PDB file of all heavy atoms in Angstrom:
ATOM      1  N   HIS A 293      26.645  -7.432 -65.669  1.00  0.00           N
ATOM      2  CA  HIS A 293      25.349  -7.161 -66.274  1.00  0.00           C
ATOM      3  C   HIS A 293      25.034  -8.227 -67.340  1.00  0.00           C
ATOM      4  O   HIS A 293      23.926  -8.759 -67.444  1.00  0.00           O
ATOM      5  CB  HIS A 293      25.321  -5.770 -66.934  1.00  0.00           C
ATOM      6  CG  HIS A 293      25.246  -4.670 -65.956  1.00  0.00           C
ATOM      7  ND1 HIS A 293      26.254  -4.393 -65.053  1.00  0.00           N
ATOM      8  CD2 HIS A 293      24.273  -3.724 -65.722  1.00  0.00           C
ATOM      9  CE1 HIS A 293      25.934  -3.331 -64.345  1.00  0.00           C
ATOM     10  NE2 HIS A 293      24.735  -2.912 -64.712  1.00  0.00           N
ATOM     11  N   THR A 314      19.314  -0.220 -69.706  1.00  0.00           N
ATOM     12  CA  THR A 314      20.432  -0.144 -68.796  1.00  0.00           C
ATOM     13  C   THR A 314      21.452   0.893 -69.260  1.00  0.00           C
ATOM     14  O   THR A 314      21.952   1.709 -68.462  1.00  0.00           O
ATOM     15  CB  THR A 314      21.130  -1.521 -68.673  1.00  0.00           C
ATOM     16  OG1 THR A 314      20.187  -2.454 -68.143  1.00  0.00           O
ATOM     17  CG2 THR A 314      22.338  -1.468 -67.746  1.00  0.00           C
ATOM     18  N   GLY A 318      21.765   4.175 -67.114  1.00  0.00           N
ATOM     19  CA  GLY A 318      22.888   3.948 -66.208  1.00  0.00           C
ATOM     20  C   GLY A 318      22.565   3.048 -65.044  1.00  0.00           C
ATOM     21  O   GLY A 318      23.038   3.239 -63.916  1.00  0.00           O
ATOM     22  N   TRP A 319      21.738   1.986 -65.271  1.00  0.00           N
ATOM     23  CA  TRP A 319      21.340   1.119 -64.177  1.00  0.00           C
ATOM     24  C   TRP A 319      22.543   0.315 -63.644  1.00  0.00           C
ATOM     25  O   TRP A 319      23.344  -0.236 -64.427  1.00  0.00           O
ATOM     26  CB  TRP A 319      20.308   0.111 -64.677  1.00  0.00           C
ATOM     27  CG  TRP A 319      18.927   0.689 -64.897  1.00  0.00           C
ATOM     28  CD1 TRP A 319      18.463   1.898 -64.481  1.00  0.00           C
ATOM     29  CD2 TRP A 319      17.849   0.062 -65.586  1.00  0.00           C
ATOM     30  NE1 TRP A 319      17.184   2.093 -64.856  1.00  0.00           N
ATOM     31  CE2 TRP A 319      16.765   0.964 -65.528  1.00  0.00           C
ATOM     32  CE3 TRP A 319      17.678  -1.162 -66.247  1.00  0.00           C
ATOM     33  CZ2 TRP A 319      15.523   0.701 -66.122  1.00  0.00           C
ATOM     34  CZ3 TRP A 319      16.465  -1.427 -66.832  1.00  0.00           C
ATOM     35  CH2 TRP A 319      15.400  -0.531 -66.770  1.00  0.00           C
ATOM     36  N   SER A 320      22.670   0.238 -62.357  1.00  0.00           N
ATOM     37  CA  SER A 320      23.634  -0.669 -61.719  1.00  0.00           C
ATOM     38  C   SER A 320      23.109  -2.093 -61.892  1.00  0.00           C
ATOM     39  O   SER A 320      21.980  -2.319 -62.311  1.00  0.00           O
ATOM     40  CB  SER A 320      23.798  -0.314 -60.265  1.00  0.00           C
ATOM     41  OG  SER A 320      22.592  -0.607 -59.551  1.00  0.00           O
ATOM     42  N   ARG A 321      23.977  -3.085 -61.546  1.00  0.00           N
ATOM     43  CA  ARG A 321      23.517  -4.457 -61.667  1.00  0.00           C
ATOM     44  C   ARG A 321      22.354  -4.758 -60.708  1.00  0.00           C
ATOM     45  O   ARG A 321      21.420  -5.488 -61.076  1.00  0.00           O
ATOM     46  CB  ARG A 321      24.689  -5.406 -61.354  1.00  0.00           C
ATOM     47  CG  ARG A 321      24.331  -6.882 -61.605  1.00  0.00           C
ATOM     48  CD  ARG A 321      25.565  -7.767 -61.613  1.00  0.00           C
ATOM     49  NE  ARG A 321      26.318  -7.620 -60.376  1.00  0.00           N
ATOM     50  CZ  ARG A 321      27.428  -8.336 -60.130  1.00  0.00           C
ATOM     51  NH1 ARG A 321      27.894  -9.142 -61.050  1.00  0.00           N
ATOM     52  NH2 ARG A 321      28.058  -8.190 -58.976  1.00  0.00           N
ATOM     53  N   ASN A 322      22.358  -4.153 -59.507  1.00  0.00           N
ATOM     54  CA  ASN A 322      21.267  -4.384 -58.583  1.00  0.00           C
ATOM     55  C   ASN A 322      19.972  -3.773 -59.082  1.00  0.00           C
ATOM     56  O   ASN A 322      18.893  -4.363 -58.943  1.00  0.00           O
ATOM     57  CB  ASN A 322      21.613  -3.763 -57.214  1.00  0.00           C
ATOM     58  CG  ASN A 322      22.660  -4.528 -56.477  1.00  0.00           C
ATOM     59  OD1 ASN A 322      22.867  -5.724 -56.728  1.00  0.00           O
ATOM     60  ND2 ASN A 322      23.367  -3.901 -55.541  1.00  0.00           N
ATOM     61  N   ILE A 323      20.037  -2.584 -59.687  1.00  0.00           N
ATOM     62  CA  ILE A 323      18.865  -1.968 -60.253  1.00  0.00           C
ATOM     63  C   ILE A 323      18.329  -2.763 -61.438  1.00  0.00           C
ATOM     64  O   ILE A 323      17.119  -2.986 -61.577  1.00  0.00           O
ATOM     65  CB  ILE A 323      19.143  -0.500 -60.697  1.00  0.00           C
ATOM     66  CG1 ILE A 323      19.468   0.372 -59.481  1.00  0.00           C
ATOM     67  CG2 ILE A 323      17.947   0.088 -61.450  1.00  0.00           C
ATOM     68  CD1 ILE A 323      18.360   0.451 -58.457  1.00  0.00           C
ATOM     69  N   LEU A 324      19.232  -3.264 -62.303  1.00  0.00           N
ATOM     70  CA  LEU A 324      18.810  -4.097 -63.405  1.00  0.00           C
ATOM     71  C   LEU A 324      18.111  -5.343 -62.919  1.00  0.00           C
ATOM     72  O   LEU A 324      17.063  -5.760 -63.439  1.00  0.00           O
ATOM     73  CB  LEU A 324      20.041  -4.470 -64.262  1.00  0.00           C
ATOM     74  CG  LEU A 324      19.856  -5.496 -65.358  1.00  0.00           C
ATOM     75  CD1 LEU A 324      18.777  -5.011 -66.382  1.00  0.00           C
ATOM     76  CD2 LEU A 324      21.135  -5.834 -66.062  1.00  0.00           C
ATOM     77  N   ASP A 325      18.677  -5.988 -61.894  1.00  0.00           N
ATOM     78  CA  ASP A 325      18.049  -7.160 -61.305  1.00  0.00           C
ATOM     79  C   ASP A 325      16.678  -6.847 -60.758  1.00  0.00           C
ATOM     80  O   ASP A 325      15.714  -7.609 -60.979  1.00  0.00           O
ATOM     81  CB  ASP A 325      18.950  -7.699 -60.167  1.00  0.00           C
ATOM     82  CG  ASP A 325      18.503  -9.075 -59.702  1.00  0.00           C
ATOM     83  OD1 ASP A 325      17.954  -9.829 -60.470  1.00  0.00           O
ATOM     84  OD2 ASP A 325      18.717  -9.342 -58.491  1.00  0.00           O
TER      85      ASP A 325
END
Side-chain angles (χ1 to χ4, degrees):
H293 287 65
T314 299
W319 287 347
S320 67
R321 186 167 57 178
N322 288 338
I323 294 299
L324 172 60
D325 190 30

